[in-house]
Amino acid sequence: MSEPRKILVTSALPYANGSIHLGHMLEYIQTDMWVRFQKHRGNQCIYVCADDAHGSAIMLRAEKEGISPEQLIANVQAEHSGDFADFLVNFDNFHSTHSEENRELSSLIYTRLRDAGHIATRSVTQYFDPEKKMFLADRFIKGTCPKCGTEDQYGDNCEKCGATYAPTDLKDPKSAISGATPVLKDSKHFFFDLPAFDAMLKSWTRSGTLQDAVANKLSEWLDSGLQQWDISRDAPYFGFEIPGEPGKYFYVWLDAPIGYMASFKNLCDRTPGLEFEAFWNKDSTAELYHFIGKDIVNFHALFWPAMLEGSGFRKPSGINVHGYLTVNGQKMSKSRGTFIKARTYLEHLSPEYLRYYYAAKLGRGVDDLDLNLEDFVQKVNSDLIGKVVNIASRCAGFIHKGNAGVLIAGNAAPELTEAFLAAAPSIAEAYEARDFARAMREIMALADRANAWIADKAPWSLAKQEGKQDEVQAICALGINLFRQLVIFLKPVLPNLAADAEQFLNVAPLTWDDHLTLLGNHQLNPFQALMTRIDPAKVEAMTNASKEDLAASATDTGAAQGNGELINDPLSPEIDFDAFAAIDLRVALIEKAEHVEGADKLLRLTLDIGDEKRNVFSGIKSAYPNPAELEGRLTMMIANLKPRKMRFGISEGMVMAAGPGGEEIYLLSPDSGAKPGQRIK
């Protein structure tokens, strides 16, 4: 057996100037699932983070609120910590960049770079606010675009025409802080000599540390030539003063990534046996991974490794980059109620619903992820309640009623348990590769097989027959064991469900290797509902509350503001109740599912609806490339749809499915206990 790995993991530092929202949570949930998987496998995996607590924006907000910057960042850190904890994000340490550890490490790295000749100085001409007595960053200058003439544009780019320019190119510039007309003023600035690390960066970015798409993007910047990086800001500024340079401060992006090191150092100082040098020294054999969004790639994959290289520390083993979050296919919007704060979500819904949905959508790439709220409800209800929890709820009652809650030993379907065992390495590989969507698909395929087997054996029918009690116990014992296997595979994503399942199963906390064994002659605890369905009304209440948040914070400012437009999507023409009641919706058993020769999108389904068989063509091939996995599954179909003649034959109905398309199409399933042919009303 191989030695446990030593892994240090970080997420990007949230800025201590606002609340956490669901876009932020995408990254922290993604990281937490990967860390939990590593710990589940027995590796030493340490997850640290911190609030990014420096910069002009924090200084100005604190001034506006009449409190010190230190009090502001303490208040925000308490809020952030609560949100992360309630979303089950399990940091080993959550610190702050405004810490003594970060001050010491930032000074150390800077002085090493300076002494090695990697710091240059020169005079810079910038806009200066004569009323606030401070130099103005680009985002604190507004004026008229020099290209298209649009007023009220920021100092680096025009939101209307997309032009980029220097702040000095703006017409009629004004300070966004005081409204005063800024004046040009010279100041000495300090620059990190990034071009000196060009060769190292070209090699390192192509060494497998980055996704291909990210490496390709970085190569564009590298090929166009790197520039020296301004790492200083003038007083007044909330941050760390540069050693030996009164009135000069480190730019926030200089000390922010060093905050990873500082948070870990803080943890080491409080944890016997945990050594900072073992993870950060140049010759360290430990692994180091950063999880970030695609908007900050240049800081993490160019500036940061160059700083580490130049100061004698190790570089990251890998950087995982994810895309942005959209909601219902659009940028998050406060007016539509889709700019949802973490706390607003938690006031209405379980964190594990979102954790699972993100897992089901997160692949290895940097594509944006869409939180489609209708699909969110359907997928969570179908997969977690209709498939996973359904197995335990189906079987537990028979074991408690028929055998006093004792799970008998044995294996009623060796071929099924072997399939679960054989699937484990592939699921683990998907987790390791951060391809959570693939892992969830493979786990749910196993859940489908387990449900189909239980439906085929129908213990609820056998329980009514004389002499069948032993068979009922054997079926349900294996059902509970298959449920246990699924919980083991899902534990990194659903830690609360796993804890509740462990209580029901009456077992110690499950580890990954527990999937190698089955329970037998084992006492279960009484079964209680492990998870409830999402009520769509709660989702609606959450979005309505988010609109109310907009009204309450109409005067707030921030980089993540929505565009303010109201969207009123037109509804389809109304139908009366009689027309709706005429739809004959039936439970159907998929007896056979197969590819259709010559069809790119279709599967041919042979459906049993109780008193007859139906042939239905369904355009779900992209979501179910292995159609055999559908066989034995219950779904829903419109049984009184007029037969349709197609090139491949007659389609005698329509099965019900949902999803955005492509691989993300899901056949709808009825509740547990449904039988083929039953009408759904």
Side-chain angles (χ1 to χ4, degrees):
M1 189 172 182
S2 60
E3 286 289 317
R5 294 155 60 188
K6 295 171 62 174
I7 310 170
L8 178 60
V9 181
T10 76
S11 297
L13 311 185
Y15 198 41
N17 192 34
S19 299
I20 301 296
H21 56 66
L22 297 193
H24 295 130
M25 286 311 310
L26 173 64
E27 179 172 305
Y28 302 102
I29 288 173
Q30 179 189 37
T31 316
D32 181 75
M33 293 188 301
W34 196 77
V35 169
R36 286 181 183 271
F37 168 71
Q38 298 298 343
K39 293 180 176 180
H40 199 30
R41 296 271 280 178
N43 294 319
Q44 180 189 21
C45 190
I46 300 166
Y47 183 16
V48 299
C49 197
D51 265 336
D52 182 2
H54 288 158
S56 298
I58 286 172
M59 176 184 72
L60 293 168
R61 178 179 167 186
E63 181 181 306
K64 179 181 178 182
E65 294 186 10
I67 58 177
S68 68
E70 289 82 0
Q71 185 60 57
L72 172 65
I73 62 178
N75 295 346
V76 172
Q77 185 168 18
E79 178 188 331
H80 287 181
S81 296
D83 289 346
F84 289 135
D86 290 348
F87 258 107
L88 313 178
V89 175
N90 190 27
F91 297 118
D92 291 286
N93 196 40
F94 188 76
H95 202 36
S96 170
T97 60
H98 192 63
S99 66
E100 195 55 37
E101 296 91 349
N102 203 30
R103 183 192 302 274
E104 292 173 0
L105 285 165
S106 296
S107 296
L108 175 64
I109 287 175
Y110 168 78
T111 54
R112 285 184 179 182
L113 293 173
R114 181 196 64 195
D115 294 347
H118 297 310
I119 301 296
T121 61
R122 65 174 179 268
S123 182
V124 173
T125 301
Q126 289 178 282
Y127 272 129
F128 183 82
D129 186 325
E131 291 188 13
K132 294 293 292 183
K133 305 296 183 186
M134 64 182 292
F135 284 96
L136 296 171
D138 295 352
R139 67 183 178 280
F140 294 135
I141 305 166
K142 284 193 169 185
T144 300
C145 173
K147 302 292 176 65
C148 70
T150 301
E151 297 179 349
D152 202 33
Q153 297 305 300
Y154 284 103
D156 54 357
N157 73 287
C158 176
E159 293 182 348
K160 182 170 183 180
C161 72
T164 58
Y165 38 74
T168 50
D169 294 332
L170 276 176
K171 298 176 182 177
D172 303 317
K174 299 291 182 184
S175 167
I177 300 171
S178 69
T181 300
V183 297
L184 291 172
K185 190 173 180 180
D186 290 342
S187 175
K188 183 174 78 169
H189 275 235
F190 295 76
F191 293 82
F192 173 48
D193 189 14
L194 188 62
F197 298 90
D198 178 82
M200 180 277 291
L201 290 170
K202 285 180 176 176
S203 172
W204 182 79
T205 56
R206 290 295 186 183
S207 64
T209 56
L210 304 166
Q211 295 121 301
D212 288 343
V214 177
N216 292 339
K217 182 62 179 178
L218 289 171
S219 70
E220 295 177 15
W221 293 336
L222 287 163
D223 291 343
S224 65
L226 298 173
Q227 304 296 315
Q228 290 190 336
W229 178 40
D230 189 344
I231 61 166
S232 64
R233 293 295 184 266
D234 289 281
Y237 192 81
F238 185 63
F240 295 142
E241 203 166 45
I242 297 176
E245 302 292 342
K248 303 292 181 180
Y249 288 79
F250 288 131
Y251 172 43
V252 60
W253 266 109
L254 182 286
D255 67 68
I258 300 172
Y260 301 140
M261 303 172 75
S263 183
F264 183 63
K265 179 71 163 56
N266 176 263
L267 179 64
C268 290
D269 290 345
R270 296 183 287 107
T271 308
L274 188 60
E275 297 180 356
F276 178 84
E277 292 77 11
F279 286 80
W280 285 100
N281 273 1
K282 193 131 184 149
D283 57 355
S284 171
T285 58
E287 301 170 53
L288 170 64
Y289 297 97
H290 300 308
F291 285 69
I292 63 168
K294 61 185 179 182
D295 55 326
I296 53 175
V297 165
N298 57 336
F299 292 108
H300 282 81
L302 293 177
F303 304 161
W304 178 229
M307 288 167 54
L308 292 168
E309 177 77 9
S311 57
F313 288 104
R314 60 87 47 83
K315 296 186 289 295
S317 309
I319 298 178
N320 180 72
V321 182
H322 61 81
Y324 301 128
L325 179 75
T326 58
V327 180
N328 293 337
Q330 300 182 64
K331 182 179 178 181
M332 291 189 295
S333 165
K334 289 186 177 181
S335 63
R336 291 190 292 269
T338 58
F339 187 93
I340 303 166
K341 292 181 180 179
R343 184 53 52 187
T344 306
Y345 174 97
L346 291 164
E347 288 168 352
H348 295 87
L349 296 165
S350 162
E352 294 203 308
Y353 297 152
L354 191 67
R355 288 177 66 97
Y356 177 72
Y357 191 76
Y358 280 172
K361 302 277 278 186
L362 273 166
R364 282 182 50 80
V366 295
D367 296 334
D368 294 346
L369 186 153
D370 185 50
L371 170 57
N372 181 289
L373 293 174
E374 287 187 10
D375 181 51
F376 166 67
V377 173
Q378 186 277 328
K379 185 158 186 61
V380 169
N381 288 348
S382 173
D383 287 3
L384 297 186
I385 293 85
K387 297 179 182 180
V388 178
V389 172
N390 183 49
I391 296 172
S393 62
R394 273 179 159 184
C395 297
F398 293 108
I399 295 171
H400 281 286
K401 185 176 180 181
N403 203 38
V406 175
L407 198 71
I408 68 169
N411 187 345
E415 72 287 350
L416 192 53
T417 55
E418 180 58 35
F420 273 60
L421 194 64
S426 178
I427 294 170
E429 180 185 75
Y431 268 121
E432 179 66 40
R434 302 176 301 279
D435 194 349
F436 299 104
R438 191 187 112 203
M440 297 308 103
R441 286 196 300 271
E442 294 183 8
I443 292 168
M444 289 305 148
L446 294 175
D448 283 337
R449 291 189 63 172
N451 276 296
W453 179 78
I454 294 168
D456 179 63
K457 296 299 181 182
W460 43 86
S461 297
L462 294 175
K464 300 174 185 177
Q465 302 176 30
E466 286 291 330
K468 296 289 186 178
Q469 294 310 308
D470 289 347
E471 190 175 348
V472 169
Q473 291 302 311
I475 293 166
C476 292
L478 182 56
I480 294 297
N481 267 300
L482 296 177
F483 166 74
R484 171 177 169 270
Q485 303 286 69
L486 294 170
V487 169
I488 291 169
F489 296 150
L490 286 168
K491 187 171 181 177
V493 179
L494 305 170
N496 278 356
L497 174 64
D500 291 343
E502 289 158 356
Q503 167 63 24
F504 157 62
L505 293 169
N506 191 25
V507 295
L510 294 163
T511 67
W512 185 267
D513 286 346
D514 287 331
H515 82 274
L516 299 169
T517 61
L518 298 176
L519 295 176
N521 297 320
H522 180 79
Q523 179 69 54
L524 301 176
N525 285 322
F527 179 80
Q528 295 181 339
L530 296 171
M531 187 174 277
T532 58
R533 291 179 176 274
I534 299 178
D535 182 350
K538 290 187 176 181
V539 176
E540 183 178 2
M542 175 184 69
T543 57
N544 286 337
S546 297
K547 293 175 185 177
E548 292 166 7
D549 284 348
L550 171 63
S553 61
T555 60
D556 287 352
T557 60
Q561 296 284 346
N563 58 19
E565 63 182 348
L566 291 171
I567 302 296
N568 293 300
D569 294 328
L571 297 173
S572 299
E574 291 182 347
I575 60 173
D576 60 26
F577 183 79
D578 290 340
F580 174 74
I583 298 172
D584 189 349
L585 193 60
R586 300 269 174 167
V587 176
L589 173 67
I590 303 174
E591 284 195 346
K592 190 173 184 180
E594 55 191 335
H595 294 295
V596 178
E597 186 175 352
D600 294 332
K601 300 180 180 179
L602 295 179
L603 294 182
R604 178 186 285 108
L605 305 178
T606 302
L607 304 176
D608 178 355
I609 57 170
D611 56 353
E612 65 176 299
K613 305 289 177 68
R614 292 284 186 91
N615 179 74
V616 169
F617 292 99
S618 181
I620 58 174
K621 182 176 180 179
S622 59
Y624 299 98
N626 178 21
E629 70 185 43
L630 294 173
E631 294 176 2
R633 176 174 164 180
L634 294 176
T635 187
M636 297 183 287
M637 74 168 292
I638 298 175
N640 63 336
L641 191 67
K642 184 178 180 179
R644 180 185 175 195
K645 185 176 182 180
M646 303 178 69
R647 181 159 62 97
F648 308 101
I650 303 293
S651 187
E652 302 171 304
M654 177 185 292
V655 292
M656 306 298 290
E663 295 182 2
E664 301 294 323
I665 299 174
Y666 311 100
L667 280 180
L668 302 188
S669 300
D671 289 337
S672 60
K675 296 180 181 179
Q678 283 184 326
R679 185 169 183 182
I680 300 170
K681 298 183 179 180

